[in-house]
Amino acid sequence: MIIAQITDLHVVARDRLCYRKVPTNAQLAEAVAHINGLEPRPDVVIASGDLTDHGREEEYEVLRQILSGLAPPVFLIPGNHDRREGLRKVFADQPYMPPPEAPFVNYTIEGYPIRLVALDTLVTGQHHGLIDDHQLRWLEQTLSAQPKRPTLIFMHHPPFRTGVRWMDSSGLHGGRKMEEIVSRHRQVLRVACGHIHRPIHVAWAGTIASVAPSTCHQVSLNMGDREALDFIMEPRAIQLHVMDPGYGLVSHLSYVPNGYERVSLLGTLAEGVAANLLEHERKAYLELCRKEYDPPG
Ligand SMILES: [Fe+2]
Ligand SMILES: [Fe+2]
């Protein structure tokens, strides 16, 4: 089983840029194409929050339209930029989506070799997240119900301290209590999070907890207390959690190239390969590369 994790999509209204400079919608469309092109193709996609930038209904409509291009099924949870109302309304027909009267967007996905547990950490209108007593009880009951099934929990706010101190100050409240619960359930193979817009891994609660990079911009690595909103166009990526039945869950980063990056990378590769060829081969090879990556018209 292969689980593709996308996070912090920050989708905006049609023909808009996020922060007036980042084409998050186009970047998500590239991530969708990237996932569809993977071989073998992932079985499911999980999206771990900050699905939209403002939580507006029109943004969820754009999100739905872009994600409709995904070949595998996709499962969504909210992050601090989201609003449950808009998410539930636009995705109300999804069987996994809890009804509007449910206080949280928690659910489980059964029927795959790995059980997926979606845990909602959103506090409406706040940057920080929360696992309150209701959520802790739900998690305990959910994990106790199937103690032998390999399980992946996905959530937006990481339940551990990342060391990016200015982001930790808008982190998860209740992480320590969650740690006590997860440490008693050895079937939890991964806790997959978002929110920080950087790849992070840590041994936590007897398992591995991680943060996947965003499908759009990343945040400058700044371990200090100063709020650093100077996000940076480091490579965008998705995380692939791959189950090997005889071994366990192995996680990979897969970078999402855009058209320009792909051409320039292949161009550099072509020069490198050509340097090792004989003169007449080199000419033919570079000609072929030009045709391949710069087609006429
Ligand atoms: Fe985010
Ligand atoms: Fe976030």
Side-chain angles (χ1 to χ4, degrees):
M1 179 183 186
I2 302 178
I3 302 160
Q5 181 190 359
I6 55 177
T7 196
D8 295 270
L9 323 176
H10 289 268
V11 162
V12 290
R14 220 171 293 282
D15 302 323
R16 290 288 174 85
L17 296 172
C18 189
Y19 298 108
R20 300 186 177 193
K21 59 176 106 175
V22 187
T24 52
N25 297 355
Q27 290 172 327
L28 176 59
E30 287 181 331
V32 166
H34 182 62
I35 290 169
N36 289 344
L38 290 171
E39 184 58 46
R41 192 176 271 171
D43 299 277
V44 296
V45 178
I46 55 176
S48 47
D50 283 0
L51 309 169
T52 64
D53 202 43
H54 304 97
R56 294 177 187 139
E57 201 176 314
E58 63 178 324
E59 295 177 332
Y60 289 108
E61 296 286 0
V62 176
L63 174 71
R64 184 178 176 114
Q65 192 254 319
I66 299 172
L67 292 182
S68 70
L70 264 176
V74 57
F75 303 107
L76 310 173
I77 53 166
N80 50 298
H81 280 255
D82 291 300
R83 293 287 182 276
R84 293 188 187 93
E85 300 72 37
L87 173 63
R88 282 171 167 152
K89 187 169 179 193
V90 174
F91 291 89
D93 63 338
Q94 299 299 301
Y96 68 85
M97 190 61 73
E101 64 273 16
F104 297 100
V105 182
N106 298 329
Y107 55 89
T108 66
I109 301 297
E110 316 288 352
Y112 291 102
I114 298 177
R115 187 175 188 230
L116 302 175
V117 174
L119 186 59
D120 178 348
T121 57
L122 166 63
V123 182
T124 302
Q126 301 293 319
H127 278 303
H128 72 270
L130 174 66
I131 299 287
D132 65 7
D133 288 346
H134 174 282
Q135 292 294 73
L136 290 167
R137 265 197 311 278
W138 181 85
L139 183 64
E140 173 70 55
Q141 286 166 4
T142 301
L143 294 177
S144 297
Q146 299 197 42
K148 299 266 191 269
R149 288 278 312 283
T151 297
L152 179 147
I153 299 172
F154 64 110
M155 57 199 291
H156 184 65
H157 296 83
F160 56 90
R161 222 165 40 223
T162 66
V164 180
R165 292 206 297 265
W166 68 276
M167 282 294 278
D168 284 338
S169 66
S170 66
L172 185 73
H173 299 185
R176 283 283 182 206
K177 290 180 181 168
M178 180 182 170
E179 186 174 7
E180 285 171 24
I181 292 173
V182 172
S183 64
R184 292 197 297 272
H185 292 278
R186 307 317 300 251
Q187 79 271 27
V188 177
L189 301 183
R190 206 64 97 245
V191 180
C193 313
H195 190 52
I196 312 293
H197 292 231
R198 301 201 63 79
I200 303 170
H201 296 84
V202 65
W204 179 84
T207 183
I208 296 168
S210 61
V211 175
S214 164
T215 55
C216 54
H217 63 272
Q218 312 309 326
V219 172
S220 307
L221 182 58
N222 177 345
M223 310 295 269
D225 293 309
R226 186 180 65 82
E227 184 168 326
L229 285 176
D230 48 336
F231 55 76
I232 186 166
M233 299 314 291
E234 285 182 42
R236 301 165 283 126
I238 63 166
Q239 189 119 45
L240 292 174
H241 304 285
V242 183
M243 186 63 174
D244 179 330
Y247 195 73
L249 196 63
V250 183
S251 296
H252 300 254
L253 276 188
S254 182
Y255 294 100
V256 181
N258 65 25
Y260 172 75
E261 286 160 353
R262 190 179 300 121
V263 168
S264 60
L265 173 66
L266 288 169
T268 307
L269 281 177
E271 295 295 339
V273 171
N276 292 318
L277 296 175
L278 296 172
E279 182 62 35
H280 70 281
E281 291 172 324
R282 187 182 305 146
K283 214 169 148 196
Y285 175 74
L286 286 174
E287 187 58 32
L288 193 65
C289 287
R290 258 191 296 276
K291 266 198 220 141
E292 185 76 15
Y293 301 119
D294 190 17

